[in-house]
Amino acid sequence: MLVALFACLVVWKTWKIQMVEGEHWKKVARENTIKPMKVKATRGNIYADDGSLLATSLPFYRVAIDPTVASDTLFDNNIDSLCYLLEKAFPARSYNEYKVMIKNARNKKGKVRYLSLVRSPINYQMRKTMSTWPIVRNGSKKGGIIFEKLDKRYRPFSQLAFRTIGFVNEEFQGAGLEYSFNSQLAGRDGQAIFTRIAGAWKPLHDESEIQPEQGYDIQTTINVNLQDVAESSLKKHLEMHRADFGCVVLMEVATGEIKAISNLSLNKDSSYSENYNYAVASLTEPGSTMKLASMIALFEESQELELEQKIDAGNGRFNFYDRVMTDSKPEGLGVITVKEAFAKSSNIAVSKMVVNKFKTQPQKFVEYLQQMHLNRPLGFQMVGEAYPYVKNPKDSTWSGVTLPWMSIGYELKLSPLHILSLYNAVANNGKMIKPIIVRNTNRADKILENYQTTVLEEQICSEKTLEKVKKMLESVVEEGTAKNIKNDNYKIAGKTGTAQKIKNGLYTHNYYTSFVGYFPADKPKYSCIVVIDSPKGFKTYGSDVSAPVFKEIADKIYALDVEMHKSLKKEKLAIKIPVPIPSLKPGYAEDMKLLCNKLGISNHSSDPENVTDEWVDAQTEQNSVRWNNKPVREGVVPNLQGMNIKDALYILENMGLRVSVEGHGRVISQSVPAGSRAIRGNGIKLVLN
């Protein structure tokens, strides 16, 4: 009786599932095996100012197979050839291992519909190669092959401007340009129908239901060569002084375009890398670089104040209420001019002048700082800009010593980019402009948005004040704290800064050193700030630590920029002085010839009967250069020693090779020997120095 009753219940339940709940369970089954899913759009590219690629998305593919799709004839006739090719291309498994793996999956009669063939994603060139292989060439419907596309971000210049270019992770958090312009770069995802097979999802059709829309490209203002110069110089001096971190920002005076920005910090293994954007996001008491703003306020408030007016800096110590202010020169500077007070960076002289003028009206001093846009963000294009902190007399923390200490760069906090914008305004004849790092967003010929130079303050001060502070900034290098970077080729104007750092509310003997200014001083083209934090050793002042970095960068730019050079006098041109032939390395023939022609160096091919190849090596002969052909043959790895990274990347990437780079400068070694076969998709490592 119980058995019969149980049988009836089973029949009734089966009927209910099929007839009453059937449509519900069919819907559940469909939703669990077939569903629409996103198809990721290809991310836009990031370009340098000259069109050089800083970041791009390269297509990679996961390779799998549905072993049940191929017919018995197709499978039996081609499985051996397929496994042989798999072993040759992906030797992680042997021929026998591939064959056993695929056959076992096929013999399970549909239980395995998704079998991963390759452990790591392959690139586009490898996919093209595999598409010619047996079984694979029959496609997904007849051969069962599955190529799942995924994009990987690739940086041709490796770690160059790493933090500035930035990243976006899977949680849509990130930093730098990738994160700040994510909405433009990301594009619009498409949608396709996917089916679930053995725990994995694969497209049901080759075509998407909704096609993805590729992201926009962004063109930055970064110059690859100047970025390399800035990074190399900063890193060298950080290592020299064993500093905690440092940053450099190089800006074009007239446009506000940032041509280089580097942020390097010390790692646990004593190496340096870009981990945080100090230039934009960090707030620090700037120290003596703030004296420029104080002097502008003084000149604006006291039109009668002149550069040669005398001020008593005393014996190196001066009391403001219960606190003692000191100068870097222990015995003091005595009676000096206003110009000398700035050039020699006298804390006491500048503070005394500010207190004498603004003691009864400190709000007036703060208003001058506000007029210089120092109390507001710049509205920079990258996410994470720090909000400046400028104390106000109404604040509860304002005290009798706030005004003198604020005048020399304490009790307020600014980012390096903010300080640079002030100095750039002086170089730009008083006009303060917003720094920019992206010129436009575009796709092919279509411009989404152009970013123009924006004026923040039409005039930060009067022309009379501007004339005075320009002379003071030049005097710092000519006869003041930065005279160690004076040179005969061009003039630098700027200011050193050395600020004591605070720990647990007390000033320590760790220093925040900086130098900020512009060059050439008589016709400014670039402004630049260098910050080096907590240098170790006996050299801990901005003049010894940061100023030499500024000069090194400026010297290299001056050497590269022919237009910046002064014209030689005619009488000097009449005297023929033998000029040594510069050391020339292998490179692109047209560029090399142009360089020699610009420098007036005689140059010719070693074989006049034949047209010179695209790539050449140079051989010096007395006062001329002879070009030796450096043939680059298709499919053959050339000798790259001596080449710059730009040329080497161009050659290798056109051969389909994956390039990794270590170091800066020119190629000194390559992992794949010259003359080897260039196999598309293979890797090659270049070491630079």
Side-chain angles (χ1 to χ4, degrees), residues 255 381 434-436 438-440 449-455:
T255 64
Q381 293 167 306
K434 181 195 297 185
I436 64 170
V438 174
R439 287 178 181 166
N440 60 62
E449 188 168 1
N450 266 319
Y451 301 99
Q452 305 293 332
T453 300
T454 303
V455 178

Side-chain angles (χ1 to χ4, degrees), residues 408-420:
I408 60 170
Y410 293 94
E411 296 203 31
L412 78 167
K413 291 185 177 182
L414 298 170
S415 71
L417 187 62
H418 228 118
I419 291 289
L420 177 61

Side-chain angles (χ1 to χ4, degrees), residues 147-196:
F147 288 112
E148 288 184 69
K149 183 173 178 284
L150 60 149
D151 287 332
K152 285 189 176 182
R153 214 60 176 153
Y154 173 66
R155 300 181 180 191
F157 293 98
S158 188
Q159 296 297 303
L160 194 73
F162 178 81
R163 186 70 185 190
T164 303
I165 296 171
F167 66 94
V168 176
N169 62 23
E170 293 180 358
E171 285 75 40
F172 300 103
Q173 299 299 312
L177 294 170
E178 294 274 22
Y179 182 64
S180 302
F181 287 81
N182 185 51
S183 60
Q184 295 94 327
L185 289 164
R188 186 178 300 167
D189 292 339
Q191 194 175 72
I193 303 300
F194 283 71
T195 181
R196 190 176 182 85

Side-chain angles (χ1 to χ4, degrees), residues 90 106 377 409 445 551 631:
F90 310 105
R106 183 177 173 85
D445 295 330
K551 183 179 185 296

Side-chain angles (χ1 to χ4, degrees), residues 180-229:
S180 302
F181 287 81
N182 185 51
S183 60
Q184 295 94 327
L185 289 164
R188 186 178 300 167
D189 292 339
Q191 194 175 72
I193 303 300
F194 283 71
T195 181
R196 190 176 182 85
I197 298 176
W201 291 95
K202 80 167 190 175
L204 192 60
H205 306 291
D206 288 337
E207 300 83 17
S208 298
E209 301 296 324
I210 302 173
Q211 289 293 331
E213 186 178 318
Q214 182 175 332
Y216 280 86
D217 301 329
I218 65 173
Q219 174 145 34
T220 73
T221 62
I222 296 293
N223 181 283
V224 173
N225 291 328
L226 300 185
Q227 179 71 30
D228 187 45
V229 166

